[in-house]
Amino acid sequence: MTRNVGNVDRTLRAVAAVGLGVCAVAAPVDGWMRGLMAAQGLYFLGTALAGTCLGYRLMGRSTCPVSSRG
């Protein structure tokens, strides 16, 4: 599978995943909102670790730098 998430994007996704995980545990919200935050955090963590994002793939986008072929 081709990577489409660059290093800066991966780092930001990992930070967002941690933030969402903390909010899912500590924020005073309903259970369904906790579930949504946890699910989004897991998605961000998964895409950060795998280096590929389904949403980017569907949109034809990539944040990986293009390597020059010469």
Side-chain angles (χ1 to χ4, degrees):
M1 190 175 288
T2 306
R3 285 185 49 191
N4 62 0
V5 180
N7 289 335
V8 173
D9 196 357
R10 291 175 82 175
T11 302
L12 292 174
R13 286 170 182 264
V15 169
V18 170
L20 283 166
V22 169
C23 286
V25 172
V29 294
D30 292 334
W32 65 271
M33 182 61 79
R34 288 182 195 276
L36 287 176
M37 286 190 287
Q40 186 65 53
L42 288 172
Y43 178 76
F44 280 157
L45 183 62
T47 57
L49 293 174
T52 186
C53 174
L54 176 62
Y56 281 2
R57 185 170 309 281
L58 292 173
M59 291 185 293
R61 301 279 185 186
S62 176
T63 57
C64 280
V66 177
S67 61
S68 60
R69 296 179 194 200

